[in-house]
Amino acid sequence: MENHKFSFVNNMADFISANETELLSKITIGTAVADYVSIFPNIRHAEKVPVFDTGDIDSLVSTGHCSTTFGDITMTEKTLTVCDYNIQKGYCPESLAKTIMGLRMQAGSYNEELGGGAEERFIEDLVAKAAVFNERKWFQADTTSGDCANGITAQLDAASASTVNVTYTAMTPSNAIEVAQSYVLNLPDSLKYTNTVMFLNRSDFQAFILGLLNANYYNPQYDPSGAVIAPMAVQLPASNCLVVSSEIGTGRAMISYGQNLALGTDVLTDSAQAQAWWSNDNQEYRLSMKWRMGSLVFFPELVVRIA
């Protein structure tokens, strides 16, 4: 009759212990925007990160081979602050057995008889949701709402005197391409020759994809133009701008280059933790994940702020 240490619980704890770094990486670095920004994986709280400016194009080169005029490379630092986040979950296996498991299995069965992989699916569902939460905070964190530091949009709002400011237009399948093109036309001169990323909210990105499809620009299986097609990202035709679905929020969008935006996390330090255990005192299975994450705009003047 001794079956209190359910193998489902033990397997869950073993799975988390064996995959702790991978799971925490999926929560932070695994966010959809992480492929398009700079990653700083060893930030514990508020740390200085290097920033350099080699100067503008017109003043970079001197005329003639005998010039001894030296320009300065400006080396500075900016503070990247990460905030504390955690998941604390618990449930009673007996309650699970009487509800979901009781409906799916034969009478007298135990939770672990659900079959292999249940632990992984349970954790991966939490991790996927936490990754969306992190992306949302990376963009939308605000000290006025209780966060320890501002996210990307609040930083840009504070620096709006320096950013290129464009009025937001909600996208529909019929106007999405035209709206995206109008955003790109506002790029500052120093970004017109380099690859850029346009972050759209989920609704606008869906309208943009449908707009491309209706205009015969988009085929998810084959793109003869060679344009970049990735999950939740697609190239704006005839441009150097990659359009990405993101958690930037309602009524917002932005364009910049990836290295201008930073995602800081403590995922590779000992402060990030993931663990699971059976609590005899509470008679329930418990799960805890802790991490830190924050964002930084290096050069606001190299951002098209759309609001």
Side-chain angles (χ1 to χ4, degrees), residues 127-208:
V127 167
K129 292 174 181 176
V132 174
F133 169 88
N134 263 350
E135 183 180 327
R136 192 168 295 168
K137 285 294 184 181
W138 187 77
F139 279 110
Q140 301 182 37
D142 196 320
T143 55
T144 62
S145 300
D147 294 295
C148 80
N150 284 328
I152 295 294
T153 55
Q155 292 178 44
L156 293 177
D157 290 346
S160 60
S162 300
T163 59
V164 178
N165 299 303
V166 176
T167 301
Y168 169 83
T169 301
M171 290 186 177
T172 66
S174 61
N175 75 357
I177 297 176
E178 181 180 355
V179 171
Q181 290 171 338
S182 70
Y183 290 164
V184 169
L185 288 175
N186 285 278
L187 283 171
D189 289 342
S190 53
L191 290 185
K192 290 180 179 178
Y193 65 90
T194 189
N195 293 328
T196 55
V197 181
M198 179 189 302
F199 294 103
L200 298 180
N201 61 50
R202 305 296 187 194
S203 297
D204 283 349
F205 183 80
Q206 186 63 62
F208 179 72

Side-chain angles (χ1 to χ4, degrees), residues 2 5 29 31 43 97 115 158 171 216 243 304:
E2 185 66 25
K5 304 293 190 299
I29 302 176
T31 60
I43 309 297
M171 290 186 177
N216 293 321
V243 182
V304 178

Side-chain angles (χ1 to χ4, degrees), residues 27-231:
I27 288 176
T28 52
I29 302 176
T31 60
V33 301
D35 289 338
Y36 313 107
V37 302
S38 298
I39 304 294
F40 291 83
N42 295 303
I43 309 297
R44 291 177 180 270
H45 175 54
E47 300 186 28
K48 300 291 185 180
V49 293
V51 181
F52 68 89
D53 185 358
T54 57
D56 65 88
I57 294 174
D58 292 330
S59 63
L60 185 67
V61 180
S62 298
T63 302
H65 287 184
C66 298
S67 173
T68 57
T69 301
F70 281 82
D72 292 328
I73 296 176
T74 304
M75 304 292 292
T76 59
E77 293 179 320
K78 287 200 171 184
T79 302
L80 175 53
T81 301
V82 293
C83 300
D84 298 331
Y85 300 106
N86 73 85
I87 294 174
Q88 304 288 336
K89 289 289 184 179
Y91 70 85
C92 173
E94 284 302 313
S95 296
L96 185 64
K98 289 188 295 184
T99 55
I100 298 175
M101 300 302 183
L103 294 173
R104 293 185 178 180
M105 300 188 299
Q106 295 180 352
S109 299
Y110 288 108
N111 296 337
E112 59 267 28
E113 294 173 29
L114 180 65
E119 305 87 358
E120 290 88 340
R121 292 194 297 273
F122 183 88
I123 293 300
E124 286 173 358
D125 181 68
L126 284 176
V127 167
K129 292 174 181 176
V132 174
F133 169 88
N134 263 350
E135 183 180 327
R136 192 168 295 168
K137 285 294 184 181
W138 187 77
F139 279 110
Q140 301 182 37
D142 196 320
T143 55
T144 62
S145 300
D147 294 295
C148 80
N150 284 328
I152 295 294
T153 55
Q155 292 178 44
L156 293 177
D157 290 346
S160 60
S162 300
T163 59
V164 178
N165 299 303
V166 176
T167 301
Y168 169 83
T169 301
M171 290 186 177
T172 66
S174 61
N175 75 357
I177 297 176
E178 181 180 355
V179 171
Q181 290 171 338
S182 70
Y183 290 164
V184 169
L185 288 175
N186 285 278
L187 283 171
D189 289 342
S190 53
L191 290 185
K192 290 180 179 178
Y193 65 90
T194 189
N195 293 328
T196 55
V197 181
M198 179 189 302
F199 294 103
L200 298 180
N201 61 50
R202 305 296 187 194
S203 297
D204 283 349
F205 183 80
Q206 186 63 62
F208 179 72
I209 289 294
L210 293 175
L212 291 179
L213 187 64
N214 293 342
N216 293 321
Y217 279 124
Y218 181 71
N219 186 327
Q221 280 73 46
Y222 173 68
D223 186 353
S225 70
V228 176
I229 293 180

